[in-house]
Amino acid sequence: MPIASTAKKHFDEDLARSRALLEHAFAISEGTLRDDIIRSSWMLSVGAADAFFCDAYADAVARSLQAKHIEPAIVTSKRLLSLKIPVAAVIRGVTTGSWGWRMAARDLIENESVLDLETVRKHFNQYFCDSDKLFGEKSFDAWILHKDWKHRLFGITKTDYRRLTPKAKDKARKESKKKFEERFQYIFQRRHDCIHNCDRAKVSLNRLHIKSKSLISYVIEDIEFLVTRFTEEYQEAFPKYIRGLGYNGTTKGRVCQ
């Protein structure tokens, strides 16, 4: 399967659970229980994204290790060589093949959180070519002009963006990136507030973010857009990364499918 396929499948299932929680919450009477179910829907959505990015990263590491095992003479990336993987996990990878490498990679990432876009960039940009870096100045147009674009994410319509002069487009792109990043910072921070402070900003419970069903639905939609759009680019970039390192077509076929 293409890279991150299993992670994306699990993400879709988890997001469906989040939507089911939201539907259930607004089907019962108002009160603390309903509020907490709504909070749970938000937290589960963000958790689904966190789990996805962790699994997608582990998948890339596992496939990279598998490729290196198949063609040990290939010079791999310094970042991969610097990863600290337990000896037991490496032995398991050598003896059990692709499944073992996947488990080794999961051992590496299981205690990490990928709940900000800068961390996503840090982990994944190594797999993207220089002209297509994740959330980069050169590649962000495809996000703004995507068919599932939302104005609340970018602050400009696709039509207006296309009409801009190159200079004005550069300015608009930077502003859209800032808005996009601020949106997800807000979404992720709400999850932290709920988990670490039980959603008490000071003394009273914070209900401002859970009054509207549509507001929570938009959060879920935006998380879905982030992960789906990322997966599209990731599945295109990773085979290029493997081939660019010098692995032959047979190895590329084994680790990219």
Side-chain angles (χ1 to χ4, degrees):
M1 293 187 293
I3 192 165
S5 294
T6 300
K8 181 60 165 59
K9 178 178 180 292
H10 292 166
F11 169 80
D12 291 340
E13 292 170 353
D14 293 340
L15 218 61
R17 293 163 59 202
S18 176
R19 287 189 165 108
L21 279 174
L22 183 61
E23 290 299 322
H24 177 68
F26 280 91
I28 64 176
S29 301
E30 291 188 13
T32 302
L33 177 60
R34 174 170 131 164
D35 290 351
D36 285 342
I37 295 174
I38 296 171
R39 291 185 181 97
S40 298
S41 174
W42 190 312
M43 287 189 287
L44 183 57
S45 298
V46 177
D50 188 18
F52 166 81
F53 285 118
C54 286
D55 287 348
Y57 179 65
D59 195 2
V61 171
R63 291 171 191 248
S64 298
L65 291 172
Q66 184 186 8
K68 180 66 174 175
H69 181 62
I70 296 170
E71 291 190 65
I74 296 294
V75 178
T76 192
S77 68
K78 292 181 180 179
R79 188 176 178 89
L80 183 67
L81 290 174
S82 67
L83 294 177
K84 297 178 181 179
I85 299 176
V87 172
V90 174
I91 294 173
R92 185 174 60 203
V94 171
T95 56
T96 60
S98 59
W99 176 86
W101 292 124
R102 189 175 302 277
M103 293 302 101
R106 286 186 67 89
D107 288 346
L108 176 72
I109 197 70
E110 67 177 357
N111 293 322
E112 288 203 40
S113 175
V114 192
L115 279 183
D116 67 80
L117 297 187
E118 186 55 42
T119 302
V120 172
R121 268 191 287 256
K122 182 185 75 173
H123 282 319
F124 292 100
N125 257 343
Q126 60 183 305
Y127 301 113
F128 289 78
C129 64
D130 289 341
S131 61
D132 295 315
K133 290 298 185 185
L134 196 58
F135 313 128
E137 295 292 340
K138 297 179 181 178
S139 63
F140 202 62
D141 280 11
W143 289 67
I144 298 173
L145 299 174
H146 193 270
K147 62 182 178 63
D148 294 327
W149 157 98
K150 297 290 187 298
H151 189 277
R152 63 180 174 270
L153 285 174
F154 302 106
I156 189 170
T157 68
K158 291 185 283 187
T159 300
D160 288 344
Y161 187 74
R162 288 191 181 100
R163 288 174 176 168
L164 295 174
T165 64
K167 184 176 181 180
K169 189 171 286 187
D170 286 342
K171 182 174 183 291
R173 186 185 301 113
K174 291 177 181 177
E175 292 173 350
S176 290
K177 275 191 63 184
K178 182 180 179 183
K179 186 174 183 65
F180 183 85
E181 291 175 356
E182 287 175 347
R183 171 65 173 166
F184 283 101
Q185 183 180 10
Y186 159 73
I187 289 173
F188 295 157
Q189 184 59 47
R190 285 287 301 128
R191 192 235 195 183
H192 297 327
D193 292 343
C194 289
I195 289 178
H196 298 296
N197 304 318
C198 289
D199 211 14
R200 292 182 185 273
K202 293 183 179 179
V203 177
S204 301
L205 284 169
N206 183 356
R207 298 194 67 254
L208 292 176
H209 306 282
I210 59 173
K211 289 183 177 180
S212 167
K213 181 180 179 181
S214 60
L215 186 150
I216 313 297
S217 295
Y218 292 156
V219 167
I220 297 172
E221 283 182 10
D222 292 348
I223 291 172
E224 185 173 38
F225 176 83
L226 172 67
V227 169
T228 301
R229 182 73 193 98
F230 167 85
T231 303
E232 291 170 356
E233 289 200 347
Y234 194 37
Q235 290 182 341
E236 183 177 340
F238 189 76
K240 295 178 182 178
Y241 163 79
I242 289 294
R243 197 60 188 264
L245 289 174
Y247 291 107
N248 63 39
T250 301
T251 300
K252 174 177 170 288
R254 286 184 62 180
V255 303
C256 294
Q257 299 298 326

